[in-house]
Amino acid sequence: MYNTSLRIVNHTGDAEDVMQEAFTDAFRSLEDFHYKSTFGAWLKRIVINKSINQLRKRKMDLIDIEKTNIGNVAEEDGPNEEELQLKIEDIKKAVALLPNGYRTVLTLYLFEGYDQEEVAEILGVSHATVRTQYMRAKKKLLQYIKLGVL
Amino acid sequence: MSRLEQFVRDHREDFDGEEPDNKIWEKIRMEMTPQKKKQGVLVRLGRAGWAAAAAAAVLVAVGSVWYFTSRTPAAAPSVVIRQIPDTTPAVATTGGSEIKPAATVDSSKTVNQPTIASIRPKEKNESPAKVEQVENSMDEEMYHYARLVEIKQTQLKAIEKDEPLLYRQFAADVNKLDSVYHSLQSQLPKNPNREQLLEAMLQNLQLQMGLLNHQLDIIKQINHSKKTAYEEAHKTA
């Protein structure tokens, strides 16, 4: 949970706040848990929602990031994924370097295992947005990794 | 699936190495403690106060009985008096124990029905001059009921030989009501609210009678089933 939150908010203090808030909220609204999913999945959703809210509080809106990043990423060709040597630490660092919007989408899809429809629902955006955002995020991530490795 | 996705999937666990500061669990616990405290109080009350809770429950039960008996006035007076002469002879004259319960059950049923109708006239009779009259009629009524209860108790006693266990249970039930009656009676000289108390006593006697009627009905049923069983056994033999 903490790692999930940390990947999204990208800030240890914020992630801890989110954790605290999410856990206390979850325990207070236990009666709202209707066993439609596992308890872990339910709690994770709370953590993720809180994390995204935390991000938005910092006024780094998904759309802003999309706008600011459309140009430079789209034009470049991504590094060849197959040539890169992937290391856990490198990926972690690269994820942390991603802009908030990209990082959120990438985190939810790549690490938390939600499919693109679910990510779209969580973020309140269209499926197409998620798909393009994810493609760009991944491209950028691989760039960072390449730069880090080189 | 691209290589990156495959890699992340294969090493998913390794990406979750970060640990939050330990103080956040402390913070969460701190935030949860108000609730925990509440729970603790509840538990403690539950454990230490079982006896108290039981006592409270008994008090509430007795209190509510008292409340309702005193609130719903034994409004039957005028009606009941009319009813009782009808039923007492029936009980007294018909010697067979089988017939008595039926007759008295009817009377108790009819007693209950007119109560609602007779509440109003009684409420109008609040003038002090009539209070004594009401009391007198109540005394009379009470006497009748007491006699009825007595008669029924002797009837019930008849089964003591045949069904000692059942009798003991029945008697215990009746005695409970009776002890309440006697405690009410002992309060009577001291209590300023005489009328209310008398009404409660009357209600108690009515309850006793209802209970006895019910018990006698049960006995009747038992006797009947015994009889048929005996007859059937006789037939087959």
Side-chain angles (χ1 to χ4, degrees), chain B residues 36-215:
Chain B
K36 271 187 186 167
K37 263 183 196 166
K38 269 185 205 164
Q39 279 176 357
V41 168
L42 277 175
V43 169
R44 244 180 287 135
L45 271 181
R47 277 183 197 157
W50 273 120
V58 167
L59 270 177
V60 167
V62 169
S64 59
V65 165
W66 166 253
Y67 179 77
F68 283 114
T69 49
S70 53
R71 266 293 293 270
T72 48
S78 54
V79 185
V80 170
I81 289 161
R82 254 183 278 124
Q83 293 287 338
I84 280 161
D86 293 341
T87 52
T88 16
V91 173
T93 49
T94 49
S97 62
E98 300 280 315
I99 308 155
K100 278 178 203 167
T104 43
V105 166
D106 284 346
S107 78
S108 69
K109 271 177 196 161
T110 42
V111 163
N112 283 337
Q113 278 164 349
T115 44
I116 301 152
S118 51
I119 284 168
R120 274 190 197 150
K122 224 206 132 234
E123 275 171 353
K124 284 173 193 163
N125 287 351
E126 290 300 351
S127 64
K130 293 200 175 173
V131 166
E132 198 161 309
Q133 205 185 325
V134 170
E135 259 185 38
N136 278 345
S137 75
M138 247 194 267
D139 279 341
E140 227 175 296
E141 202 182 330
M142 205 110 71
Y143 173 69
H144 279 293
Y145 271 117
R147 268 203 61 198
L148 269 178
V149 168
E150 243 174 64
I151 290 164
K152 279 168 202 295
Q153 266 172 342
T154 51
Q155 276 176 34
L156 201 63
K157 213 157 189 158
I159 66 144
E160 194 180 4
K161 256 190 230 163
D162 296 329
E163 310 264 5
L165 206 79
L166 193 68
Y167 175 77
R168 243 178 288 149
Q169 279 177 344
F170 280 176
D173 289 340
V174 176
N175 282 342
K176 260 183 227 161
L177 275 173
D178 206 37
S179 64
V180 175
Y181 177 78
H182 283 297
S183 76
L184 286 175
Q185 205 171 30
S186 65
Q187 280 174 46
L188 196 57
K190 295 175 259 171
N191 200 305
N193 199 346
R194 215 175 130 76
E195 199 184 335
Q196 216 175 41
L197 209 61
L198 282 171
E199 274 171 2
M201 284 166 74
L202 198 65
Q203 195 87 12
N204 180 287
L205 282 176
Q206 283 174 339
L207 277 173
Q208 280 194 39
M209 206 178 67
L211 184 67
L212 284 163
N213 278 337
H214 203 69
Q215 289 173 348

Side-chain angles (χ1 to χ4, degrees), chain A residues 119-139:
Chain A
V119 175
E121 190 220 311
I122 291 167
L123 296 175
V125 294
S126 73
H127 184 189
T129 310
V130 170
R131 196 169 50 228
T132 52
Q133 287 251 322
Y134 176 68
M135 294 311 289
R136 287 169 193 166
K138 194 171 128 187
K139 207 180 273 179

